[in-house]
C-alpha cells in the first residue's frame, strides 16, 4: 500500500493570503507587466549572464505537469558555432517551408508579420533555448516511465519560461522552425524527446519593431464568458 505523505501548506509557508484589494492590484500589475511583452525578431549580441537564463529555466521547471513527471528538457545554447549550425539548419527548413511546404493559406496568415526564411537572430541573440518534450521519464532524472499530458505540461512550462525571461528584462521570440528534427541531432537528444519550441532571448536592437498585426489583442469579452 502506498503511504500518502503530505506537508500542510501552512507549514510550507508558500501560500500568501491577500485581501481582495491587494489581489486586484497584483492582478493589474502582472497584466501591465506582461502586456509589455512583444515577440521581437531583431536582437543585439549584447551578452546576458548565463545565470539569469538558468534561473528563468529553473522557474519554467516549476510548472505543473502530468503526474509531476516534469517532461521537459531545455538545451541552452550560447556557443557561437552551435548557434550558427542551428541557424543554417533552420534556414534550410524554412526555405522549403516558405517555398512550397506552407501552402497559400498559411503564407497568407504570416504575411502581416513579414517573416521569411532568413533567421539571423539565431546567430545574433546571446541565447537560444531549445525546449524538448520527453515522451518517457518520471519524477526523477533517469527514470523511464511513460509521461502524460506532455504537450500541456511543456506548453505551460514554456509560458512560465517566457514570462520569467520577460520579467527579468529580456526580449523573447518563440521560434518554430518547421520541422525541428535537426535540433535533436545537433544537441544529441534521444529519440524519446520531441523538439517542441526554440525560445530566442536577449536584448532587442534599438530599431526593433513590432508588427501592428501582433498588437491586435482580443478584448476580454471575446475570449471569455462568465457561466
Ligand atoms: N516557422 C516559420 C513560420 C512561422 C509560422 C508561424 I504559425 C508564426 O507565427 C511565425 C512564423 C518562421 O519562423 O518563419
Amino acid at each position: 500500500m502506498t503511504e500518502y505523505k503530505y506537508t500542510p501548506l501552512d507549514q510550507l509557508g508558500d501560500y500568501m493570503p491577500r485581501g481582495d484589494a491587494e489581489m486586484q492590484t497584483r492582478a493589474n500589475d502582472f497584466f501591465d507587466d506582461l502586456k509589455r511583452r512583444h515577440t521581437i525578431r531583431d536582437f543585439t549580441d549584447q551578452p546576458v549572464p548565463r545565470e539569469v537564463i538558468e534561473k528563468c529555466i529553473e522557474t519554467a521547471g516549476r510548472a505543473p505537469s502530468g503526474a509531476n513527471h516534469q517532461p521537459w528538457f531545455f538545451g541552452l545554447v550560447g556557443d557561437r558555432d552551435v548557434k550558427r549550425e542551428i541557424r543554417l539548419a533552420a534556414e534550410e527548413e524554412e526555405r522549403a517551408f516558405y517555398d512550397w511546404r506552407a501552402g497559400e493559406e498559411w503564407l497568407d496568415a504570416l504575411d502581416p508579420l513579414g517573416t521569411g526564411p532568413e533567421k539571423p537572430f539565431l546567430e545574433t541573440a546571446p541565447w537560444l533555448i531549445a525546449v524538448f518534450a520527453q515522451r518517457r521519464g518520471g519524477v526523477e532524472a533517469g527514470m523511464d516511465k511513460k509521461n502524460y499530458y506532455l504537450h500541456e505540461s511543456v506548453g505551460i512550462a514554456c509560458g512560465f519560461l517566457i514570462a520569467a525571461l520577460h520579467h527579468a528584462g529580456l526580449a523573447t521570440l518563440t521560434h518554430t522552425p518547421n520541422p525541428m528534427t535537426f535540433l535533436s541531432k545537433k544537441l544529441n537528444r534521444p529519440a524519446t524527446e520531441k523538439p517542441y519550441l526554440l525560445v530566442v532571448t536577449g536584448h532587442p536592437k534599438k530599431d526593433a519593431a513590432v508588427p501592428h498585426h501582433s498588437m491586435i489583442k482580443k478584448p476580454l469579452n471575446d475570449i471569455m464568458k462568465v457561466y
Side-chain angles (χ1 to χ4, degrees):
M1 264 287 280
T2 311
E3 191 196 337
Y4 297 102
K5 295 184 185 145
Y6 279 76
T7 302
L9 189 54
D10 255 3
Q11 204 174 303
L12 284 176
D14 284 348
Y15 165 69
M16 308 280 191
R18 309 191 193 268
D20 291 354
E22 192 188 357
M23 280 196 297
Q24 190 65 63
T25 306
R26 291 175 63 86
N28 294 352
D29 289 351
F30 196 62
F31 174 75
D32 288 341
D33 185 27
L34 273 192
K35 87 171 193 226
R36 288 198 306 268
R37 195 208 74 85
H38 302 285
T39 288
I40 68 115
R41 293 179 173 80
D42 291 300
F43 292 85
T44 68
D45 60 3
Q46 186 186 330
V48 170
R50 196 180 75 201
E51 293 73 16
V52 173
I53 312 294
E54 285 179 348
K55 188 50 77 176
C56 295
I57 294 175
E58 209 176 345
T59 303
R62 294 305 168 111
S65 64
N68 194 32
H69 282 197
Q70 305 153 66
W72 39 66
F73 178 83
F74 301 90
L76 178 55
V77 182
D79 183 273
R80 280 178 161 280
D81 297 338
V82 183
K83 284 195 296 181
R84 177 156 184 80
E85 281 178 31
I86 289 178
R87 174 184 178 179
L88 294 177
E91 285 182 338
E92 198 178 318
E93 296 295 2
E94 293 290 285
R95 270 192 295 274
F97 175 85
Y98 283 94
D99 279 353
W100 54 270
R101 213 185 265 142
E104 201 182 333
E105 189 172 9
W106 200 343
L107 290 182
D108 276 355
L110 293 180
D111 190 49
L113 297 176
T115 54
E118 295 294 315
K119 305 296 177 193
F121 51 76
L122 292 174
E123 249 183 301
T124 328
W127 296 108
L128 311 179
I129 308 169
V131 186
F132 293 85
Q134 300 178 319
R135 295 188 188 89
R136 300 195 63 84
V139 71
E140 279 167 309
M143 289 182 165
D144 185 35
K145 299 176 177 196
K146 183 172 163 33
N147 285 338
Y148 304 93
Y149 298 107
L150 309 202
H151 292 271
E152 293 83 350
S153 305
V154 181
I156 297 167
C158 287
F160 276 33
L161 176 64
I162 292 161
L165 291 164
H166 170 73
H167 185 73
L170 290 162
T172 49
L173 165 65
T174 46
H175 179 46
T176 47
N178 183 358
M180 289 194 254
T181 28
F182 67 87
L183 280 176
S184 303
K185 260 194 232 142
K186 297 267 170 240
L187 303 184
N188 254 320
R189 300 311 302 170
T192 47
E193 282 181 12
K194 191 179 153 37
Y196 185 85
L197 184 66
L198 194 53
V199 179
V200 182
T201 192
H203 293 288
K205 266 194 192 148
K206 250 200 163 50
D207 61 355
V210 179
H212 288 187
H213 179 79
S214 309
M215 287 191 279
I216 305 167
K217 297 298 176 195
K218 291 177 184 165
L220 186 59
N221 273 340
D222 289 348
I223 62 169
M224 74 160 276
K225 179 178 168 182
V226 182
Y227 292 91

